[in-house]
Amino acid sequence: MASQKQEKKKSTEEDNRTRSLSYNADVERIGPHLDIYLAFQPQLRKRKDKTSKKILKAVILIQAAIRGWLERRRLERIKAKATDHGPTFRAVVNAYRRMVDRIQRRAGLRNTRVILKFSELEEWLDRKKFYEVMFAKREYCQGIPKYELPKYFRDCGHFPTQSHIDSTYLLVQTDGKWKYNEIHSEEVKKGKALEMIFTLYPPEGAHVSHFWGLKSTWTRPIVHGEEAYKYLVSGHPIIKKADIRVVGKLVARSMRERRMKLRFKSPDE
C-alpha cells in the first residue's frame, strides 16, 4: 500500500512538473506578462480566478476609454472640416447621404442604405476638399470648359479615358437635377464635376466596388484597385528599370498563341 501511495505521489508530481514546464514555455513563447496571459486564457483562469477577472475588467475599461476618446477627437476633427463644406454639420451630413445614395443608384443598387461612419465621412470630406481646390485652379467664370475635364481629372490623380468621361457626363445629366442651360453648356460647374469624379471613383461610404465603370487595359492598367497609369505618366523609377524586350516577348507570345488557337479551332465551336 505504501509503495502504491508513493508511486501515485511521484506520478502526480511529474504531471504537475510537466504542466508547469509547458505553461512556462507558452508564457515565454508568447511574451506578455503572466497576469495578462492568464486573463485571455480561459482554461487557466481557475488558478487565479479573482485576479484574472480584475485584470480583464481593467483591460476592457481601458480599451473603452481610449476608443471613446479617439472617436470624440475624430468627431471634433470632422466638425472642424465640415465648416468648409456647409453652413452646419447636419447639412454636410445630409449632403453626404444624398450623394452616396445617388452613387449607389448609378451603380445599380436597388435597395440603397447609407450608414454614417466617421472614418468614411472624413474620407469623403478630405477628397471633396482636394477636388474643390484642384477645380479652383482651372475655374474660369464659375466653371471649366468641357474639353479640360481630362486635365482636371489628371490634376486630381485620376486617369479615366475620354469615353468614360463622356459616359459619366451623360449619366450625371440624367439625374434630372441640372437645369437645361447647364446640360447644354460647354462649361462644367463645380457640382457636376464633383458628381462625375465621385461617380467614377466612389467614396468608401458607398460600399460599391471601386472602378466599377473602368476596366484594366494594356495602356491603362489597374493593379490592386489602383491606377498604374499615373506611374507611367510621372516616370516612376521602377517603371524606368523595366526591360522593353521582356514586354515585347510577352506581346509576341500572346499574339502567337492567339493565331494558333484560330488556326486549330474546330468548326463546331
Side-chain angles (χ1 to χ4, degrees):
M1 293 293 291
S3 61
Q4 291 179 355
K5 290 181 180 180
Q6 289 178 357
E7 289 178 358
K8 287 182 179 180
K9 188 176 181 180
K10 287 181 180 179
S11 63
T12 53
E13 289 178 354
E14 289 178 357
D15 292 338
N16 293 330
R17 190 177 304 162
T18 54
R19 288 177 183 175
S20 63
L21 289 174
S22 63
Y23 176 69
N24 292 329
D26 290 339
V27 173
E28 290 178 358
R29 178 174 57 84
I30 294 173
H33 191 271
L34 186 61
D35 295 333
I36 299 176
Y37 178 74
L38 285 171
F40 292 94
Q41 299 296 324
Q43 70 274 13
L44 301 175
R45 289 179 193 166
K46 296 179 180 179
R47 299 183 182 182
K48 291 188 177 182
D49 195 13
K50 295 181 180 180
T51 307
S52 63
K53 285 182 178 179
K54 291 181 180 178
I55 292 174
L56 187 61
K57 187 177 180 180
V59 169
I60 293 172
L61 289 174
I62 292 170
Q63 287 182 352
I66 293 174
R67 287 178 181 176
W69 179 77
L70 290 174
E71 288 298 317
R72 288 191 295 272
R73 289 295 301 273
R74 176 176 286 176
L75 179 59
E76 293 176 359
R77 188 169 63 247
I78 290 173
K79 286 183 177 179
K81 292 179 180 180
T83 56
D84 298 331
H85 301 274
T88 60
F89 180 69
R90 184 181 294 274
V92 173
V93 172
N94 291 334
Y96 165 74
R97 288 180 181 274
R98 288 193 296 270
M99 178 178 283
V100 171
D101 181 76
R102 290 193 298 270
I103 292 170
Q104 289 178 348
R105 292 183 184 278
R106 290 171 192 148
L109 297 181
R110 295 181 180 178
N111 300 323
T112 60
R113 186 182 180 188
V114 183
I115 300 174
L116 183 62
K117 291 184 179 180
F118 289 160
S119 59
E120 296 172 352
L121 178 60
E122 188 174 12
E123 184 261 348
W124 178 76
L125 290 172
D126 292 339
R127 286 181 58 185
K128 185 171 179 290
K129 181 66 175 178
F130 175 68
Y131 297 156
E132 288 175 349
V133 171
M134 293 296 106
F135 187 87
K137 290 183 177 180
R138 293 187 175 273
E139 187 176 10
Y140 178 74
C141 293
Q142 298 181 353
I144 60 175
K146 187 178 177 181
Y147 63 86
E148 286 195 2
L149 281 175
K151 296 180 181 179
Y152 168 66
F153 279 94
R154 206 170 290 124
D155 293 340
C156 297
H158 303 300
F159 302 88
T161 60
Q162 186 63 44
S163 60
H164 284 113
I165 293 175
D166 295 337
S167 60
T168 307
Y169 184 81
L170 295 175
L171 182 63
V172 170
Q173 286 180 355
T174 57
D175 286 343
K177 60 173 288 188
W178 311 106
K179 298 179 182 179
Y180 180 83
N181 56 356
E182 291 182 1
I183 292 176
H184 297 276
S185 176
E186 290 297 326
E187 285 191 350
V188 181
K189 303 295 183 181
K190 182 172 66 175
K192 187 181 288 187
L194 293 177
E195 285 283 337
M196 289 178 60
I197 197 167
F198 275 114
T199 301
L200 272 173
Y201 305 92
E204 293 180 359
H207 295 285
V208 295
S209 59
H210 286 262
F211 301 95
W212 60 269
L214 303 177
K215 294 182 180 180
S216 180
T217 60
W218 280 95
T219 56
R220 296 177 183 271
I222 297 174
V223 183
H224 300 296
E226 185 180 5
E227 287 180 301
Y229 188 75
K230 60 183 179 182
Y231 298 110
L232 295 172
V233 174
S234 62
H236 199 274
I238 296 178
I239 297 176
K240 288 182 179 179
K241 294 180 181 178
D243 192 357
I244 194 65
R245 290 175 295 180
V246 177
V247 180
K249 289 179 181 178
L250 178 63
V251 174
R253 187 170 66 249
S254 64
M255 294 174 65
R256 201 162 45 242
E257 291 176 355
R258 189 180 303 171
R259 284 198 297 267
M260 293 294 289
K261 287 180 181 178
L262 292 174
R263 182 181 299 178
F264 295 101
K265 187 176 181 180
S266 62
D268 297 335
E269 294 182 357

